[in-house]
Amino acid sequence: MVIYRAKNYKELSRKAANIICAQVILKPNCVLGLATGSSPVGIYKQLIDWYKKGDLDFSRVSSINLDEYRGLGPDNEQSYRYFMNTNLFNHVNIDKARTYVPNGLEPDPEKACLDYDRIIEKSGGIDLQLLGLGHNGHIGFNEPSHVFPRGTHCVDLAPSTIEANKRFFSSEADVPRQAYTMGIRSIMQAKKIVVVVSGEDKAEILRQVIRGPITPDVPASVLQLHTDVVIVADEAALSQM
Ligand code: F6R
């Protein structure tokens, strides 16, 4: 694991955006695994800025997002598809037909998950997977459990995740209770993984991810087994190391 210590969120975003930028320049038809949430917002802003300056070209890039709330469609402002469109895709020259997010409106979980695994497989594999880190150690919506789930699956969100994500909804009752998420196997099969972690509230879980035992109780701890992981974190998030 390579750990990059950034002074603050701004520097963290720029550093992680630099790594993604290098990936797109080196392999213009790469497959990016993308994340939502507050951690990557600064990265996406930076990528848009570089695109507008003519330094980046997304025309041949494909993207596969980690997860989507079950029951939310692309027009719902809280859906992850909506997030990706408004925070990145609408502002760069990516072909939206090659941007994938699990279909939150598919009522049959088995079908939704199988369809998504097929998309991942057909893409030929993720070149670079961007991850945020949940307060309970989740990556994607792979919540603490007694196993590492392999493929895309429908998950019951942990109470702590519902609590953490209620800030994006008008009330906690509005937070969907389930999501479709890429599994740990698909994440671990990415050639390169970049994890962005910001803030003191993530310091204790980040310490467990990097220094603790590898256990599905802390899903992100499995990243210790990947051969090409960069953790880009700010000083606050690294304060317990
Ligand atoms: C988002 C995702 C989640 C978030 C995590 C951290 O697509 O899969 O794992 O990355 O919950 O969220 P933030 O960045 O909002 O703290």
Side-chain angles (χ1 to χ4, degrees):
M1 264 183 187
V2 173
I3 300 172
Y4 183 86
R5 179 181 288 262
K7 278 201 282 298
N8 48 38
Y9 181 72
K10 195 168 176 226
E11 194 185 297
L12 165 158
S13 302
R14 202 176 159 85
K15 178 56 63 181
N18 256 305
I19 299 170
I20 296 172
C21 186
Q23 172 70 65
V24 174
I25 290 169
L26 290 170
K27 187 176 176 192
N29 63 343
C30 65
V31 180
L32 297 178
L34 297 177
T36 61
S38 44
S39 307
V41 169
I43 299 174
Y44 296 150
K45 282 204 174 99
Q46 182 65 76
L47 292 176
I48 292 167
D49 188 42
W50 285 333
Y51 163 72
K52 288 193 169 147
K53 287 186 172 134
D55 291 338
L56 256 177
D57 175 14
F58 288 90
S59 61
R60 295 172 63 204
V61 170
S62 306
S63 71
I64 302 186
N65 260 79
L66 283 165
D67 39 21
E68 179 60 283
Y69 288 116
R70 184 176 179 205
L72 300 196
D75 297 334
N76 187 307
E77 290 183 20
Q78 313 304 338
S79 75
Y80 285 171
R81 161 56 77 180
Y82 189 93
F83 174 100
M84 288 312 300
N85 286 347
T86 50
N87 282 280
L88 182 65
F89 301 153
N90 288 349
H91 309 285
V92 298
N93 65 338
I94 198 162
D95 176 357
K96 275 214 193 120
R98 281 207 305 267
T99 65
Y100 302 97
V101 179
N103 179 3
L105 290 182
E106 171 54 61
D108 176 357
E110 210 171 313
K111 180 171 180 337
C113 297
L114 272 175
D115 285 352
Y116 209 58
D117 278 341
R118 254 184 233 123
I119 288 170
I120 298 169
E121 209 182 298
K122 266 182 70 183
S123 76
I126 295 168
D127 291 294
L128 184 154
Q129 176 66 56
L130 177 64
L131 296 174
L133 176 66
H135 290 98
N136 60 4
H138 74 211
I139 44 178
F141 274 138
N142 291 278
E143 300 285 33
S145 160
H146 54 286
V147 288
F148 288 114
R150 292 189 187 134
T152 305
H153 56 288
C154 181
V155 68
D156 292 330
L157 297 178
S160 61
T161 300
I162 293 168
E163 171 67 25
N165 287 5
K166 72 176 187 202
R167 67 194 196 273
F168 301 114
F169 293 80
S170 20
S171 77
E172 188 186 308
D174 291 333
V175 185
R177 269 33 190 179
Q178 289 188 313
Y180 296 138
T181 182
M182 203 187 268
I184 294 288
R185 180 190 53 202
S186 312
I187 294 174
M188 289 296 281
Q189 281 176 344
K191 294 187 189 96
K192 182 174 197 70
I193 298 180
V194 179
V195 194
V196 281
V197 194
S198 168
E200 209 180 333
D201 52 317
K202 300 260 178 89
E204 172 50 26
I205 193 68
L206 183 59
R207 189 189 60 74
Q208 290 181 44
V209 168
I210 297 172
R211 298 242 198 275
I214 298 166
T215 163
D217 233 11
V218 180
S221 62
V222 75
L223 298 173
Q224 292 178 34
L225 297 174
H226 196 282
T227 51
D228 191 354
V229 176
V230 185
I231 296 187
V232 186
D234 58 19
E235 282 174 0
L238 287 167
S239 58
Q240 302 275 324
M241 297 292 297

